[in-house]
Amino acid sequence: MADIVLFVVFPYAAVIVAVVMSVYRYLDQRFTYSSLSSQLLENGMLSWASVAWHYSIVVILLAHLLAALFPGVWAALLGGGARLALIEATGMGLGLIAVLSMALFIWRRLANRRVRAVTSWGDWVLLVALLAQVVMGFIVAFAYRWGGMWYLHTAAPWLESLVRLDPQIAAVTPLPWLVKLHFLGGFVLVALIPFTRLVHIVTIPIAYLWRPYRIVIWNRRRA
Ligand code: HEM
């Protein structure tokens, strides 16, 4: 029963909350549909953390998505032996960058008085949830080797069954609890989208990855 709640009810509830509340927020508070910048208050640590975080997490999440949406393509890509090891090592390297950059984001908000002052409870909850998720992902990749491979026989069929509205959880319930926590953490983050600055994902700002870096400056003399 608990497994049904965790791996069927909770994922659907998270997606419904995310969709309904994102539409509501768009209609009700359109101006807040962004990740309000704190670049004016502190830019040194931010530029390092932000660039490293976004490049690493976008690639990692695209790999998660590719393996779930096109398991055949992902299996062919992994191949065996050397290619599998290279992809796993790349994933772990990017995972480590994601962990370190998220830790830097948090440190920046703790250490800088001005940035701390504009940090809401929602920001703290989101930052801690993201850190927990990437730390768990990194440990899972490290402790339970060849995740790129076993993902295809566990997470992929579970996610596909949810999309088909024919939930099958037998492939995920026997997994170690840390792996299951990481899977559920993904849906916690989905549920947090409309309530936090994560809502900026919905605007799909992918042009940020190649557009010239924009620097925000004061346009008045400082006192
Ligand atoms: C239901 C959703 C998710 C599933 C089923 C899932 C599954 C997995 C699996 C099986 C691994 C191990 C891969 C390997 O050994 O190479 C992994 C790694 C990882 N995951 Fe997830 N994950 C989910 C959501 C997320 C989300 C939302 C994030 C970040 C916001 C995330 C971040 C990571 C990171 C940083 C790693 C380590 C890097 C890597 O090896 O790819 N995951 N995930």
Side-chain angles (χ1 to χ4, degrees):
M1 182 61 189
D3 283 337
I4 302 276
V5 172
L6 289 176
F7 294 100
V8 179
V9 179
F10 175 60
Y12 283 128
V15 172
I16 292 170
V17 166
V19 172
V20 173
M21 294 310 291
S22 295
V23 171
Y24 175 76
R25 180 166 168 183
Y26 187 73
L27 298 176
D28 193 54
Q29 308 159 36
R30 197 164 301 184
F31 178 67
T32 69
Y33 241 71
S34 114
S35 177
L36 291 178
S37 177
S38 56
Q39 191 185 18
L40 272 175
L41 303 174
E42 192 285 327
N43 191 25
M45 275 189 255
L46 176 67
S47 53
W48 282 101
S50 185
V51 172
W53 166 258
H54 285 94
Y55 277 103
S56 57
I57 207 66
V58 165
V59 174
I60 288 171
L61 290 180
L62 282 179
H64 279 58
L65 264 185
L66 178 68
L69 292 176
F70 306 102
V73 174
W74 183 252
L77 204 68
L78 288 183
R83 208 159 358 120
L84 173 63
L86 183 67
I87 291 179
E88 286 280 330
T90 309
M92 284 186 211
L94 290 171
L96 185 61
I97 294 176
V99 169
L100 294 176
S101 50
M102 187 42 68
L104 190 56
F105 270 138
I106 294 178
W107 169 248
R108 167 179 178 269
R109 283 185 184 266
L110 286 171
N112 186 303
R113 203 165 38 85
R114 298 196 309 165
V115 186
R116 200 169 60 229
V118 297
T119 304
S120 68
W121 273 104
D123 292 335
W124 287 121
V125 170
L126 177 63
L127 289 170
V128 170
L130 282 170
L131 182 65
Q133 183 67 359
V134 290
V135 167
M136 284 191 291
F138 181 70
I139 298 176
V140 167
F142 204 77
Y144 304 101
R145 281 293 156 78
W146 318 119
M149 200 74 112
W150 55 254
Y151 182 101
L152 292 173
H153 312 288
T154 53
W158 168 57
L159 293 171
E160 197 217 320
S161 76
L162 290 177
V163 174
R164 270 191 289 109
L165 302 181
D166 175 25
Q168 303 292 334
I169 58 171
V172 288
T173 47
L175 293 173
W177 64 266
L178 186 66
V179 176
K180 292 197 275 193
L181 267 183
H182 180 70
F183 289 10
L184 295 174
F187 285 98
V188 170
L189 288 170
V190 168
L192 284 178
I193 289 176
F195 305 106
T196 61
R197 60 175 59 229
L198 211 53
V199 76
H200 75 282
I201 299 178
V202 179
T203 63
I204 319 188
I206 49 168
Y208 279 37
L209 292 176
W210 57 80
R211 72 150 205 220
Y213 194 62
R214 195 169 289 167
I215 297 175
V216 182
I217 53 167
W218 296 106
N219 68 355
R220 61 174 167 78
R221 279 178 199 280
R222 287 218 211 173

